[in-house]
Amino acid sequence: SNFIAYWGQSSAGSQKSLGDYCKDSSVDAIALAFLYQFPNTKLDFSSNCRSTFPGSDLLHCPDIAADIKYCQSQGKAVLLSMGGAAGAYGFGSDSEAQTYANTVWDMFLGGSGSQRPFDDAVLDGIDLDIEGGSTAGYAAYVAQLRSHFEASSDKSYYITGAPQCPFPDAMLGSTLNSAWFDMVFVQFYNNFCGLDAYPQGFNYEQWDAWAKSQSANKNVKLYIGAPGSQSAAGRGYVDASKINSIVSDIRGKYSSFGGVMTWDASQAFDSSSWGQSVSSGLKSGGAQKRAMDPYSGKLISTRAANVTAGALHARLELIESTALEADSADTFAFLVRIQSVGQPIQRGWEMRIPLSAGIAVAEASAQSHHIKVHEDMLVVADGGSSDRSMAVAFWVAGRHAGNEFGLPDPARIMLFA
């Protein structure tokens, strides 16, 4: 369950640098706001970038470029959001949209344009926050971008959308039905169907039904869009404890749930701990349960959760083992099972499992995969096997300090792809 924040509009009145927000482990991905005018490209990151290319009004942002690279080094995806509530944008035809997709590829993604606002920093994808103008061309735009994605083997790229919660969305509705989106950040605020209308008026169920029956990508992940503070939206703000309760309810009912999106980083993090509290709630799943081992007849502990990295989704199960006879009370052993959910993975991946203090791993191995202990983490990486289902099972054994061993929380496991 990921926590995604928009950044770049200083909606709280000021904002920290992009890199500062990426230092916070609460944030899993950031959308830069906004590319607010197109196809005549204009950007605005509210005073965090002021320089332009010679003879042009196109922003040139080397400091943000360095921050993008830092964020990515921390395992955080960085997207560029197009549109916004205020801006002059839109396409007159599919042909114009396709041409502009080529421009965006060369300017911000894996292409090689002569003027790149973030120099050689390569963004992880494009977000469509279309709130005005014409509805024409966006499906063609997404399709053209995806043709570039498919031709590139360097990295994975993502397409996301940010519709309003009334269904269907007035601006993106038809595009969401026909184009392939990896994630959809539904804005459950400033509308009658927002978080403040939960449970009777909150319409996540409608969006879940769309995801599973109408979406081009039947494994698309839906995010609950939430204001980061009372002043971040006209209506729809709820405090951290309330949204954590809503999240617990939604992810228990709907497999489409992917996480929480917030508008925006300055509101969610700078004047309160709302962002940290919501992110912590998202990642506190995987409660430890007791179950009967069918082989030994003993009660054992189990934990399970879904983890997400961009468009990659995996199910993790940790199961206490009775196969190895404990020679003392401080010995432990458990089985880890990992399985991709939805589309198969297309390239290497890495998973980092935080270990509690006092845990000493003596044995860990996984056939056809790399596994090691590094800085209090158990690190499992794709070994280049031909099995793209990400099906992995391995033993972990060792000793622990204290009276009782607890399985690691799978919801806190970090997945990189």
Side-chain angles (χ1 to χ4, degrees):
S1 296
N2 286 335
F3 186 80
I4 295 175
Y6 281 81
W7 172 88
Q9 289 299 290
S10 302
S11 73
S14 63
Q15 65 186 5
K16 299 175 184 176
S17 72
L18 173 64
D20 283 338
Y21 292 108
C22 285
K23 293 175 184 176
D24 193 323
S25 61
S26 303
V27 178
D28 298 301
I30 289 183
L32 309 182
F34 286 106
L35 196 174
Y36 73 96
Q37 184 169 313
F38 57 84
N40 179 25
T41 303
K42 287 192 177 181
L43 302 162
D44 175 49
F45 303 107
S46 287
S47 303
N48 276 64
C49 177
R50 296 179 182 273
S51 63
T52 59
F53 287 99
S56 169
D57 60 0
L58 179 64
L59 290 180
H60 181 212
C61 312
D63 290 342
I64 296 179
D67 282 350
I68 290 168
K69 292 181 179 179
Y70 171 74
C71 294
Q72 291 170 331
S73 76
Q74 301 303 300
K76 304 175 193 295
V78 184
L79 311 171
L80 177 62
S81 185
M82 296 174 56
Y89 53 81
F91 302 120
S93 66
D94 284 358
S95 176
E96 184 178 50
Q98 290 165 340
T99 298
Y100 193 64
N102 297 334
T103 299
V104 167
W105 173 254
D106 286 336
M107 197 176 279
F108 301 103
L109 300 169
S112 54
S114 59
Q115 290 186 331
R116 290 177 58 91
F118 305 128
D119 296 327
D120 62 347
V122 179
L123 293 172
D124 297 293
I126 296 297
D127 172 62
L128 296 180
D129 180 12
I130 308 305
E131 302 185 34
S134 168
T135 62
Y138 289 106
Y141 173 80
V142 171
Q144 183 67 14
L145 273 183
R146 287 211 169 273
S147 71
H148 288 292
F149 297 174
E150 291 165 5
S152 172
S153 59
D154 294 339
K155 62 182 290 179
S156 295
Y157 295 95
Y158 309 111
I159 298 290
T160 66
Q164 306 285 316
C165 63
F167 184 86
D169 181 71
M171 300 307 303
L172 274 180
S174 60
T175 303
L176 288 169
N177 287 343
S178 57
W180 187 283
F181 285 80
D182 299 294
M183 294 163 273
V184 172
F185 313 142
V186 184
Q187 297 182 45
F188 286 106
Y189 49 92
N190 290 336
N191 278 295
F192 61 88
C193 43
L195 288 160
D196 55 336
Y198 175 88
Q200 289 86 0
F202 183 66
N203 70 335
Y204 186 99
E205 184 176 4
Q206 270 190 304
W207 284 97
D208 175 76
W210 163 81
K212 293 171 181 173
S213 63
Q214 293 177 264
S215 172
N217 173 13
K218 298 301 187 291
N219 293 310
V220 65
K221 288 298 176 181
L222 302 179
Y223 285 67
I224 294 176
S229 73
Q230 191 76 54
S231 62
R235 62 177 292 188
Y237 172 76
V238 296
D239 62 30
S241 62
K242 177 67 172 178
I243 195 169
N244 285 341
S245 175
I246 294 172
V247 163
S248 179
D249 175 43
I250 294 300
R251 73 173 164 190
K253 293 178 179 177
Y254 305 106
S255 60
S256 61
F257 178 75
V260 171
M261 170 276 283
T262 190
W263 178 267
D264 68 349
S266 66
Q267 299 273 5
F269 291 99
D270 290 2
S271 60
S272 74
S273 60
W274 185 93
Q276 288 90 345
S277 297
V278 173
S279 179
S280 177
L282 273 173
K283 295 171 172 62
S284 64
Q288 187 156 299
K289 300 178 180 179
R290 301 289 283 174
M292 183 72 72
D293 181 359
Y295 299 102
S296 68
K298 298 178 181 178
L299 280 175
I300 58 172
S301 297
T302 65
R303 302 188 83 161
N306 293 333
V307 293
T308 300
L312 174 62
H313 311 289
R315 179 69 174 174
L316 274 76
E317 293 181 282
L318 287 79
I319 305 165
E320 183 182 10
S321 172
T322 59
L324 301 178
E325 290 295 332
D327 56 13
S328 69
D330 65 352
T331 302
F332 72 87
F334 61 93
L335 175 69
V336 180
R337 290 177 180 157
I338 308 167
Q339 177 70 53
S340 65
V341 177
Q343 61 184 0
I345 50 179
Q346 301 300 317
R347 61 187 190 86
W349 52 267
E350 180 178 284
M351 189 170 292
R352 302 176 190 174
I353 305 174
L355 298 172
S356 303
I359 295 295
V361 173
E363 177 186 354
S365 61
Q367 186 176 5
S368 300
H369 295 80
H370 303 301
I371 186 167
K372 65 180 180 179
V373 176
H374 178 68
E375 295 182 351
D376 297 324
M377 288 195 180
L378 190 65
V379 181
V380 187
D382 180 15
S385 97
S386 59
D387 179 7
R388 310 319 295 161
S389 67
M390 198 181 174
V392 186
F394 60 91
W395 292 101
V396 181
R399 295 183 179 275
H400 65 93
N403 296 326
E404 186 176 352
F405 171 73
L407 290 169
D409 184 351
R412 294 185 179 276
I413 290 173
M414 292 169 282
L415 178 61
F416 300 88

